[in-house]
């Protein structure tokens, strides 16, 4: 059985999408994958309820309890390692990670970001996409490198920008794409159909088509 640990900081809708896919597709029996634990960087967030709803052990590790980024990341890596993870998924995890942390989990650390990277790293992606007048926007799942919202791209989902879109409507459609893109990316990486070799993402021939998603 391969273990997946999910890190969150808030609402947990991507966590829900992962857990729902794992249940619907019976990842444990069909793929040998288990979502072993959820770790939240904030207490009292909705994502912790989601973990409870699905019966997945959850834990809070707040950076406020640590002196500085290095100490927090060491403790976080320790907490994750306790679950012997084959893959760690950042699902709305709102912390910049240290180089040491990223290197420790190199090739085993995925993030979902609400833009078509390398366009619009950071926050406020939907507002910035509208301001830039792009016709296409979307979401990216990528292996994490030590730069924020950067690293080898695993999968991308595309939505077209409509004339009457505002940041909220665009966010809604991109989030739907994230909810489809993240579970399939996690399953492909965790089962070894997609992997990182040096700085390049490699995929078995059958997996390639699943790494692009075109929404309306
Ligand atoms: C998502 O849009 C994710 O891409 C971004 O933060 C948001 C988290 O949403 N990094 P949720 O907590 O998964 O609902």
């Amino acid at each position: 059985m391969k273990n997946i640990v999910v890190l969150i900081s808030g609402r947990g809708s991507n966590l829900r999408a992962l857990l729902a896919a794992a249940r619907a597709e019976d990842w444990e029996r069909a793929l040998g994958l288990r979502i072993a634990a959820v770790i939240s960087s904030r207490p009292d967030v909705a994502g912790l309820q989601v973990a409870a709803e699905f019966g997945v052990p959850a834990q809070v590790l707040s950076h406020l309890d640590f002196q500085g980024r290095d100490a927090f990341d060491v403790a976080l890596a320790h907490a994750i390692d306790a679950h012997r993870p084959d893959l760690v998924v950042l699902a709305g995890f709102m912390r910049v990670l240290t180089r040491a942390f990223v290197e420790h989990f190199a090739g085993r650390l995925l993030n979902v970001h609400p833009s078509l990277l390398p366009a619009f790293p950071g926050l406020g992606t939907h507002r910035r996409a509208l301001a830039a007048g792009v016709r296409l926007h979307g979401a990216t799942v990528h292996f994490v490198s030590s730069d924020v919202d950067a690293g080898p791209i695993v999968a991308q989902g595309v939505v077209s920008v409509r004339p009457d879109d505002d940041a909220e409507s665009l966010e809604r459609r991109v989030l739907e794409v994230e909810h489809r893109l993240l579970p399939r990316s996690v399953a492909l990486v965790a089962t070894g159909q997609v992997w990182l070799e040096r700085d390049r993402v490699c995929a078995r021939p059958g997996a390639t088509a699943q790494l692009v998603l075109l929404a309306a």
Side-chain angles (χ1 to χ4, degrees):
M1 191 66 72
K2 294 200 167 147
N3 291 318
I4 298 166
V5 173
V6 185
L7 307 190
I8 61 166
S9 298
R11 175 178 57 183
S13 71
N14 277 293
L15 170 66
R16 179 181 291 283
L18 275 171
L19 290 168
R23 180 181 280 177
E25 297 160 17
D26 199 357
W27 281 9
E28 288 208 9
R29 241 180 294 180
L31 303 179
L33 305 179
R34 177 199 298 131
I35 299 183
V38 171
I39 300 176
S40 173
S41 64
R42 293 192 190 132
D44 305 322
V45 293
L48 289 166
Q49 302 294 327
V50 175
E53 212 181 289
F54 282 82
V56 174
Q59 155 186 9
V60 175
L61 203 69
S62 168
H63 64 276
L64 300 175
D65 296 334
F66 295 87
Q67 295 263 322
R69 201 175 285 287
D70 290 339
F72 175 73
D73 276 12
V74 167
L76 181 61
H78 205 73
I80 296 169
D81 280 340
H83 301 284
R84 305 184 151 275
D86 295 282
L87 187 62
V88 179
V89 182
L90 309 180
F93 186 70
M94 306 303 280
R95 298 266 320 155
V96 174
L97 295 161
T98 55
R99 184 176 292 274
F101 181 97
V102 170
E103 277 168 11
H104 180 72
F105 293 107
R108 290 186 292 158
L109 190 56
L110 285 183
N111 182 43
V112 58
H113 179 75
S115 80
L116 293 173
L117 291 172
F120 313 121
L123 299 174
T125 56
H126 310 301
R127 183 181 41 75
R128 286 156 60 210
L130 286 173
V134 293
R135 299 283 179 216
L136 296 173
H137 185 44
T140 302
V141 174
H142 63 96
F143 283 104
V144 176
S145 67
S146 19
D147 301 323
V148 175
D149 297 324
I153 290 171
V154 172
Q156 290 188 304
V158 179
V159 303
S160 52
V161 179
R162 298 172 186 164
D164 57 349
D165 263 329
D166 56 20
E168 286 72 37
S169 62
L170 201 49
E171 176 180 7
R172 258 195 310 279
R173 292 208 309 289
V174 171
L175 198 60
E176 279 172 25
V177 165
E178 290 181 47
H179 294 164
R180 292 163 59 200
L181 199 67
L182 186 62
R184 66 162 83 161
S185 303
V186 166
L188 288 170
V189 173
T191 55
Q193 295 181 73
V194 172
W195 66 96
L196 189 64
E197 216 168 274
R198 301 211 174 126
D199 279 343
R200 289 206 66 83
V201 173
C202 305
R204 291 199 191 287
T208 318
Q210 294 182 64
L211 302 178
V212 177
L213 202 153
L214 304 173

